[in-house]
Amino acid sequence: MAGLLSLASELILQISDQLDRRKAFRSTCRRIDLLVSPRLFSHMTIDIWGENASRGIHQLEALATGSTRAGEYVRTLDIRRLLANPNPRDRQRGQWGGGQLDVKWAEERMREFLPGALSALGGVTTVIYKMEAGNPEWATILVCEYLATLPMLHTLDLRTTYIPPRLHPSRISNLSKLVSESDHNLSAIVEIIGNSPNLTELDHHCSNQFGSSNVPSLHDLLSKVPHERPLRLRNLGVSGSYLPVLHHEDLPHLHHLKLLGLSQGVPCVTMPGGRNGSISSPGNIWEDVARETIPIEAVLAPLDGAVLGYLAVATGIKKISIFGLMSEVSCRNFFTNILPRHSKTLISLTIAAGAGTWCLRMCNVNALLGCTELTKLAITVDDIGTTEEQKERLKGIVHCIMKMITDLPNLHCLRLFPAIRRVNMFSEIQPFHQRKVSHRETSHALHTLIVSYSIPRPTFSLPVIKLGEKKYMPRRYSNGITRYAVQES
C-alpha cells in the first residue's frame, strides 16, 4: 500500500479508472477515498419505478438521513421517474414492476425523504429532468423549487411532456446551457430562457405530438429576453415542429453565434410583413445571418437554397452538416463553388442526401481532396445492385474511398451512409442515422471490397471507416501492405 500511496494523485486516479470494483478500492484508505470519491459519485440517477423503486426509495433515505456522503460529490443529477403510483393492473395484483412493494408505503417514504435528499445535493451543476404526466404534482413542483436553489447550476436538460398548473418556473435562472423539449406548452421553457441572461447554448426540440395548430417559432423562444440585454448565444439548435421565423429585434441575440442548427419540420408559409415588415420570413433567416456578418463556424441544416446561398457567401466555416433531397444543379454548385470556398478551414463534413450526384463520386472526390484539414467525413453511398454495370460502379466507389483515405492526411474517421430514396414530403426529413432502412446488399458488397483492398506503404496514419454498425480498422502487415479489417466488438 505504501508504494501505491507514493504515486502521484493523477496516476492513482488512472489506476482506479481501470478497476471493476472501484468502490472496494475507495475503501482501502482515507487518501484514496478522498481522491476516488469525487469521480466515482459525480453522476447520480434517481429513478423510482418498477424494479428500481425499492432501491430508489432507500437511496433517497440514505441521502436525507446523511448515512452516505455521496451527495456532496454529485455534480450531474439525472431525475427520471418519480412515479409512486403504478399502473392500475399492477396495483390490482399488488405488484410494482414484477416485485412486491406496498404502494402506500412507497408514496409515504418518497414524500418523507425526497425534500431532504434534494437538499443534500447542493453542489449539482448539471440536471437532466423529464416532467412526466404520471409524476405526482407535488414532486414536480418540489424538484423545480430545488432547481431554483442550486447556486452552481449551469446546465439543464428539461423534457416537458406535462407542466402542472401551479408550477412557476420563473425562479429557475442564470443557466448557461439549456437542452429542452416541449409539446404544445412552451411557456416554462420561454420563462427559463428569459431569466438566464448568461445563456450561451440553447438546444430545443418542439415535438408538438398532439397536433396543435399553434406552432411555435424561433421568435417565441426568445420573446421573454429583454431587448436591452441581448443574449450572447454561441450554440443554437432548434428542431421538430416549429417555424424558423425571427423578428429583426431578435438578431442581436445571435451576434456571437458559432453553431447554428435548424431542422425544419413545418412547411414554410408566407409570413405577414415580408422583407419590408418587422418579421423575417423562413427563407431569409440565413440571409439575415449573412447580412449581420455573424461569424458562424458550424452549420447543421436541411438542404435548401437559403442554406446553400449562405454557404456561398460565408467564410471560415469549420463544420458543415446538410441533409435532405435537392437537385443535381445544386450539387454541382456545392462541390464546384461552395466547398472550395471553405477548403482551408473545414474540419468536419456530413452530407446525408438522396441518391445521385450528391453521393460519393469521383467528380466529388476531387473537390473533397482540396479540403486538406478534414478530420471527419460522412457521405452517402448509392444503392448497389447485382448487374455488371452496378458492380463496376461499386468498384469505382471503393476506389474513391481509398483515394480519400490515402490523400487526406488529417482524416481520422470516414463514415458511409446509404442514400435516401423516398421521403414523405409532408413529414419531417430526418437525418439518415435515424432512418431504419435495410441496405444489406450494398453493405455486404462494400464490405467485401473494403477488406480485400491493399494499400502499399501509406505515408501517414489511415482513418477509421464506419459502414452501418461495422467499424474497419487499418492493419499493417510485415510486408508493408495495409488492409482494413472489421474491429471485433
PDB file of all heavy atoms in Angstrom, residues 256-271:
ATOM      1  N   HIS A 256     -23.012  36.585 -31.493  1.00  0.00           N
ATOM      2  CA  HIS A 256     -21.817  35.834 -31.079  1.00  0.00           C
ATOM      3  C   HIS A 256     -21.935  34.352 -31.427  1.00  0.00           C
ATOM      4  O   HIS A 256     -21.185  33.524 -30.905  1.00  0.00           O
ATOM      5  CB  HIS A 256     -21.584  35.994 -29.574  1.00  0.00           C
ATOM      6  CG  HIS A 256     -21.325  37.408 -29.153  1.00  0.00           C
ATOM      7  ND1 HIS A 256     -22.336  38.303 -28.862  1.00  0.00           N
ATOM      8  CD2 HIS A 256     -20.165  38.095 -28.989  1.00  0.00           C
ATOM      9  CE1 HIS A 256     -21.812  39.459 -28.532  1.00  0.00           C
ATOM     10  NE2 HIS A 256     -20.506  39.368 -28.591  1.00  0.00           N
ATOM     11  N   LEU A 257     -22.853  34.033 -32.319  1.00  0.00           N
ATOM     12  CA  LEU A 257     -23.153  32.641 -32.633  1.00  0.00           C
ATOM     13  C   LEU A 257     -21.990  31.958 -33.346  1.00  0.00           C
ATOM     14  O   LEU A 257     -21.375  32.518 -34.249  1.00  0.00           O
ATOM     15  CB  LEU A 257     -24.400  32.583 -33.519  1.00  0.00           C
ATOM     16  CG  LEU A 257     -25.267  31.325 -33.430  1.00  0.00           C
ATOM     17  CD1 LEU A 257     -25.783  31.127 -32.025  1.00  0.00           C
ATOM     18  CD2 LEU A 257     -26.427  31.431 -34.412  1.00  0.00           C
ATOM     19  N   LYS A 258     -21.698  30.723 -32.910  1.00  0.00           N
ATOM     20  CA  LYS A 258     -20.681  29.894 -33.563  1.00  0.00           C
ATOM     21  C   LYS A 258     -21.289  28.675 -34.240  1.00  0.00           C
ATOM     22  O   LYS A 258     -20.751  28.195 -35.233  1.00  0.00           O
ATOM     23  CB  LYS A 258     -19.630  29.444 -32.538  1.00  0.00           C
ATOM     24  CG  LYS A 258     -18.826  30.579 -31.927  1.00  0.00           C
ATOM     25  CD  LYS A 258     -18.035  31.330 -32.980  1.00  0.00           C
ATOM     26  CE  LYS A 258     -17.211  32.450 -32.356  1.00  0.00           C
ATOM     27  NZ  LYS A 258     -16.480  33.236 -33.388  1.00  0.00           N
ATOM     28  N   LEU A 259     -22.390  28.151 -33.686  1.00  0.00           N
ATOM     29  CA  LEU A 259     -23.055  26.986 -34.274  1.00  0.00           C
ATOM     30  C   LEU A 259     -24.536  27.291 -34.437  1.00  0.00           C
ATOM     31  O   LEU A 259     -25.196  27.727 -33.491  1.00  0.00           O
ATOM     32  CB  LEU A 259     -22.865  25.753 -33.394  1.00  0.00           C
ATOM     33  CG  LEU A 259     -23.479  24.432 -33.900  1.00  0.00           C
ATOM     34  CD1 LEU A 259     -22.658  23.245 -33.390  1.00  0.00           C
ATOM     35  CD2 LEU A 259     -24.931  24.251 -33.461  1.00  0.00           C
ATOM     36  N   LEU A 260     -25.061  27.045 -35.645  1.00  0.00           N
ATOM     37  CA  LEU A 260     -26.478  27.230 -35.921  1.00  0.00           C
ATOM     38  C   LEU A 260     -27.016  25.971 -36.575  1.00  0.00           C
ATOM     39  O   LEU A 260     -26.569  25.587 -37.658  1.00  0.00           O
ATOM     40  CB  LEU A 260     -26.701  28.447 -36.827  1.00  0.00           C
ATOM     41  CG  LEU A 260     -28.162  28.737 -37.214  1.00  0.00           C
ATOM     42  CD1 LEU A 260     -29.022  28.942 -35.966  1.00  0.00           C
ATOM     43  CD2 LEU A 260     -28.244  29.969 -38.120  1.00  0.00           C
ATOM     44  N   GLY A 261     -27.958  25.311 -35.889  1.00  0.00           N
ATOM     45  CA  GLY A 261     -28.576  24.109 -36.422  1.00  0.00           C
ATOM     46  C   GLY A 261     -30.075  24.271 -36.487  1.00  0.00           C
ATOM     47  O   GLY A 261     -30.732  24.442 -35.468  1.00  0.00           O
ATOM     48  N   LEU A 262     -30.636  24.256 -37.690  1.00  0.00           N
ATOM     49  CA  LEU A 262     -32.073  24.426 -37.891  1.00  0.00           C
ATOM     50  C   LEU A 262     -32.596  23.243 -38.693  1.00  0.00           C
ATOM     51  O   LEU A 262     -32.246  23.075 -39.866  1.00  0.00           O
ATOM     52  CB  LEU A 262     -32.375  25.737 -38.631  1.00  0.00           C
ATOM     53  CG  LEU A 262     -31.902  27.031 -37.958  1.00  0.00           C
ATOM     54  CD1 LEU A 262     -32.217  28.231 -38.843  1.00  0.00           C
ATOM     55  CD2 LEU A 262     -32.548  27.201 -36.591  1.00  0.00           C
ATOM     56  N   SER A 263     -33.404  22.415 -38.044  1.00  0.00           N
ATOM     57  CA  SER A 263     -34.023  21.289 -38.729  1.00  0.00           C
ATOM     58  C   SER A 263     -35.512  21.566 -38.801  1.00  0.00           C
ATOM     59  O   SER A 263     -36.226  21.458 -37.812  1.00  0.00           O
ATOM     60  CB  SER A 263     -33.761  19.983 -37.972  1.00  0.00           C
ATOM     61  OG  SER A 263     -34.444  18.916 -38.576  1.00  0.00           O
ATOM     62  N   GLN A 264     -35.991  21.981 -39.982  1.00  0.00           N
ATOM     63  CA  GLN A 264     -37.366  22.458 -40.104  1.00  0.00           C
ATOM     64  C   GLN A 264     -38.336  21.304 -40.268  1.00  0.00           C
ATOM     65  O   GLN A 264     -38.166  20.445 -41.115  1.00  0.00           O
ATOM     66  CB  GLN A 264     -37.488  23.402 -41.298  1.00  0.00           C
ATOM     67  CG  GLN A 264     -38.887  23.971 -41.460  1.00  0.00           C
ATOM     68  CD  GLN A 264     -38.980  24.844 -42.684  1.00  0.00           C
ATOM     69  OE1 GLN A 264     -37.984  25.370 -43.141  1.00  0.00           O
ATOM     70  NE2 GLN A 264     -40.168  24.974 -43.214  1.00  0.00           N
ATOM     71  N   GLY A 265     -39.384  21.287 -39.431  1.00  0.00           N
ATOM     72  CA  GLY A 265     -40.380  20.248 -39.523  1.00  0.00           C
ATOM     73  C   GLY A 265     -41.736  20.723 -39.979  1.00  0.00           C
ATOM     74  O   GLY A 265     -42.644  19.939 -40.170  1.00  0.00           O
ATOM     75  N   VAL A 266     -41.927  22.028 -40.155  1.00  0.00           N
ATOM     76  CA  VAL A 266     -43.197  22.584 -40.611  1.00  0.00           C
ATOM     77  C   VAL A 266     -42.963  23.255 -41.956  1.00  0.00           C
ATOM     78  O   VAL A 266     -42.001  23.998 -42.117  1.00  0.00           O
ATOM     79  CB  VAL A 266     -43.740  23.620 -39.593  1.00  0.00           C
ATOM     80  CG1 VAL A 266     -44.980  24.298 -40.126  1.00  0.00           C
ATOM     81  CG2 VAL A 266     -44.037  22.933 -38.274  1.00  0.00           C
ATOM     82  N   PRO A 267     -43.810  23.002 -42.969  1.00  0.00           N
ATOM     83  CA  PRO A 267     -43.614  23.630 -44.276  1.00  0.00           C
ATOM     84  C   PRO A 267     -43.577  25.140 -44.161  1.00  0.00           C
ATOM     85  O   PRO A 267     -44.278  25.742 -43.348  1.00  0.00           O
ATOM     86  CB  PRO A 267     -44.840  23.167 -45.072  1.00  0.00           C
ATOM     87  CG  PRO A 267     -45.296  21.937 -44.387  1.00  0.00           C
ATOM     88  CD  PRO A 267     -44.975  22.128 -42.930  1.00  0.00           C
ATOM     89  N   CYS A 268     -42.730  25.775 -44.991  1.00  0.00           N
ATOM     90  CA  CYS A 268     -42.635  27.231 -44.987  1.00  0.00           C
ATOM     91  C   CYS A 268     -43.959  27.840 -45.416  1.00  0.00           C
ATOM     92  O   CYS A 268     -44.625  27.359 -46.324  1.00  0.00           O
ATOM     93  CB  CYS A 268     -41.524  27.687 -45.928  1.00  0.00           C
ATOM     94  SG  CYS A 268     -39.874  27.254 -45.363  1.00  0.00           S
ATOM     95  N   VAL A 269     -44.331  28.906 -44.759  1.00  0.00           N
ATOM     96  CA  VAL A 269     -45.552  29.620 -45.115  1.00  0.00           C
ATOM     97  C   VAL A 269     -45.192  31.075 -45.354  1.00  0.00           C
ATOM     98  O   VAL A 269     -44.159  31.562 -44.931  1.00  0.00           O
ATOM     99  CB  VAL A 269     -46.599  29.522 -43.984  1.00  0.00           C
ATOM    100  CG1 VAL A 269     -47.053  28.081 -43.803  1.00  0.00           C
ATOM    101  CG2 VAL A 269     -46.065  30.073 -42.678  1.00  0.00           C
ATOM    102  N   THR A 270     -46.071  31.794 -46.025  1.00  0.00           N
ATOM    103  CA  THR A 270     -45.848  33.211 -46.262  1.00  0.00           C
ATOM    104  C   THR A 270     -46.200  33.980 -45.004  1.00  0.00           C
ATOM    105  O   THR A 270     -47.319  33.896 -44.509  1.00  0.00           O
ATOM    106  CB  THR A 270     -46.709  33.702 -47.432  1.00  0.00           C
ATOM    107  OG1 THR A 270     -46.401  32.911 -48.570  1.00  0.00           O
ATOM    108  CG2 THR A 270     -46.454  35.162 -47.710  1.00  0.00           C
ATOM    109  N   MET A 271     -45.224  34.683 -44.469  1.00  0.00           N
ATOM    110  CA  MET A 271     -45.437  35.409 -43.223  1.00  0.00           C
ATOM    111  C   MET A 271     -45.819  36.852 -43.509  1.00  0.00           C
ATOM    112  O   MET A 271     -45.383  37.442 -44.498  1.00  0.00           O
ATOM    113  CB  MET A 271     -44.163  35.385 -42.380  1.00  0.00           C
ATOM    114  CG  MET A 271     -43.706  33.987 -42.013  1.00  0.00           C
ATOM    115  SD  MET A 271     -44.942  33.067 -41.095  1.00  0.00           S
ATOM    116  CE  MET A 271     -45.103  34.102 -39.641  1.00  0.00           C
TER     117      MET A 271
END
